[in-house]
Amino acid sequence: MSALKRELGLFETTLMGVGIILGAGIYVLIGAAAGIAGNSVWMSFTIASIVAIFTGLSYAEFSSRFSDDSGEYDYVKRTVSEKWGFIVGWMMVFTLLISAAAVALGFAGYFARLFASLNFGIVAIAVATIILFSFISYWGIKQAAWLNILFTFLETFGLLFIIYIGLGKIGSVNYMSMPNGFEGVISAAALVFFAFIGFETIVKLAEETRNPKKTVPRAILLSILISTVIYILVAISAVSILSWDKLAVSTAPLADVAAVALGAYAFLALSIIALFSTGNTILIILIGASRQIYGISKNYKKLNKLSKVSTRRKTPHIAVIFTVVVAICFSLIGNIGTVAEITNFAVFATFILINGALIFMRLKERKPYTKGFRVPLSIRKIPVPAVLGLVSSLFLLLQLPMFVILSGLGLLASGAVVHKIVS
């Protein structure tokens, strides 16, 4: 069987993490979050980032110990059981595919606003976008990585531009204003956590990364820290320029922020950058999903076809086709808020299991692991950040609407059913 090519270093893997994190939420969901948290939306991003860092540390230790594209599946399988490994892998695959659909709808919103005269439907644009970036995912990891680098620089430039134009307005509003109280800030944190989805995708690139046991943990932590600083500054600048209630009703929030500060040309520029940003996120999500499907399928005879690698392109072409079909199906829902919240349930559930798996592994080990990254601050073998990551993920999960929680539990149950079929 053909193998995937190891072509990615720390620079490329970190930028892939930054690229997917920055593109997802800040361009698409900051308006909805501002409507819940008001001027304190920066605090929501801060809270979400803390949860991401706790869990990011757990991912960093796992990726230092085990380097396989199946990611969460491999971690939980090795520490808890094969069945729970499959369930968490199933959850993460669908998390990525639902995320791809959500961001594709966000891309479509910006596209439709920018090219209103073309009269394309939001869902049709989202479907076409998924197909386009799936083709790039198939074409080759090196080509996708360089495209990601270009897109990441563009989207980062757009966010730095928002920060720059907001510098003169900083201090013009009360950044502790909470129209829905601190409860609203927490609810917004649960929503914008979608904006931090991406760092875990780096582990799905382990088989295409040089020296993954050192490179992947570093890339995870670097991408979270870089993105957090940018998010907080952008959130402060955005509410300083455009009131939170106007941000809340905008379909292109950051483009409208630029328009208020500098006029129509700025709106056009930010809308174009937002297209690159959200497109970049879709690309890396689809790559991560197809590689995880490839990694999991190698372990099951009934899923063996999904683990085939193109002899010409050296990419998992059957898994890529599967991701296209499923992501398109989710994009047909059409409502980005609902899609994002279902994604968040799957992420929180996965993070609960990952943190729990690390705690379980630490309790079982006879000697401390010293060959790679190890989560700091332990009490009697138990890593404190993993406990905090588990508890905070559970807390944010419970902030989601009951409909979303029930839908997520259905997705979790379906993983158990599929495992029974393929085992």
Side-chain angles (χ1 to χ4, degrees), residues 8-303:
L8 305 177
L10 179 61
F11 180 70
E12 292 95 341
T13 48
T14 301
L15 279 184
M16 279 194 160
V18 171
I20 188 174
I21 293 171
L22 292 185
I26 200 73
Y27 278 98
V28 176
L29 290 175
I30 188 172
I36 302 170
N39 292 337
S40 296
V41 66
W42 66 271
M43 199 182 298
S44 299
F45 280 105
T46 305
I47 293 167
S49 74
I50 292 169
V51 177
I53 288 169
F54 288 148
T55 303
L57 289 168
S58 295
Y59 270 96
E61 179 167 336
F62 272 127
S63 64
S64 180
R65 294 184 185 227
F66 317 121
S67 53
D68 187 283
D69 271 9
S70 52
E72 294 87 353
Y73 163 79
D74 193 43
Y75 306 158
V76 178
K77 174 187 172 183
R78 288 172 183 258
T79 54
V80 182
S81 71
E82 183 272 333
K83 178 181 178 179
W84 276 104
F86 183 89
I87 290 172
V88 75
W90 174 266
M91 285 286 289
M92 206 62 218
V93 165
F94 276 87
T95 296
L96 291 169
L97 295 177
I98 299 168
S99 297
V103 182
L105 289 167
F107 176 97
Y110 272 98
F111 189 94
R113 181 94 178 265
L114 191 58
F115 302 103
S117 60
L118 296 178
N119 238 1
F120 290 134
I122 296 289
V123 173
I125 298 169
V127 169
T129 305
I130 290 168
I131 293 171
L132 171 63
F133 287 111
S134 293
F135 177 77
I136 297 170
S137 169
Y138 156 76
W139 191 252
I141 192 65
K142 192 68 176 178
Q143 293 82 353
W146 280 107
L147 190 63
N148 165 73
I149 289 170
L150 172 63
F151 285 7
T152 298
F153 278 123
L154 285 170
E155 69 188 39
T156 304
F157 171 78
L159 296 177
L160 293 177
F161 180 68
I162 293 293
I163 294 169
Y164 173 75
I165 63 177
L167 286 176
K169 297 280 189 178
I170 289 178
S172 60
V173 298
N174 177 11
Y175 300 108
M176 299 302 291
S177 172
M178 305 174 190
N180 295 302
F182 191 67
E183 184 180 340
V185 173
I186 296 295
S187 295
L191 175 63
V192 302
F193 193 83
F194 180 83
F196 286 92
I197 296 172
F199 68 84
E200 77 288 345
T201 303
I202 297 171
V203 305
K204 282 79 167 179
L205 304 174
E207 292 187 39
E208 293 167 285
T209 301
R210 298 187 297 273
N211 196 7
K213 290 192 175 183
K214 286 187 177 180
T215 301
V216 172
R218 292 173 182 171
I220 289 171
L221 298 177
L222 282 171
S223 62
I224 295 174
L225 291 173
I226 292 168
S227 302
T228 297
V229 172
I230 293 174
Y231 274 163
I232 292 171
L233 293 175
V234 168
I236 290 172
S237 293
V239 297
S240 298
I241 296 169
L242 186 64
S243 64
W244 65 264
D245 53 326
K246 290 181 180 177
L247 272 175
V249 296
S250 172
T251 56
L254 291 188
D256 281 336
V257 167
V260 167
L262 298 173
Y265 286 113
F267 174 87
L268 177 64
L270 259 292
S271 293
I272 292 171
I273 290 173
L275 289 179
F276 282 111
S277 178
T278 49
N280 189 35
T281 301
I282 298 164
L283 171 63
I284 308 306
I285 288 174
L286 291 171
I287 289 173
S290 61
R291 273 51 174 186
Q292 185 161 30
I293 292 167
Y294 155 82
I296 293 173
S297 300
K298 290 187 294 183
N299 299 280
Y300 300 92
K301 286 185 178 180
K302 292 181 180 179
L303 298 176

Side-chain angles (χ1 to χ4, degrees), residues 325-375:
V325 174
V326 178
I328 286 174
C329 289
F330 280 114
S331 72
L332 298 178
I333 294 174
N335 187 316
I336 188 171
T338 301
V339 177
E341 285 184 323
I342 293 174
T343 304
N344 282 346
F345 175 92
V347 171
F348 292 141
T350 300
F351 286 1
I352 289 166
L353 289 168
I354 288 294
N355 286 305
L358 182 66
I359 295 166
F360 189 68
M361 180 177 68
R362 287 284 196 91
L363 290 172
K364 288 198 306 180
E365 68 180 3
R366 294 181 180 179
K367 293 181 179 179
Y369 176 74
T370 57
K371 293 182 180 180
F373 179 84
R374 185 176 174 85
V375 175

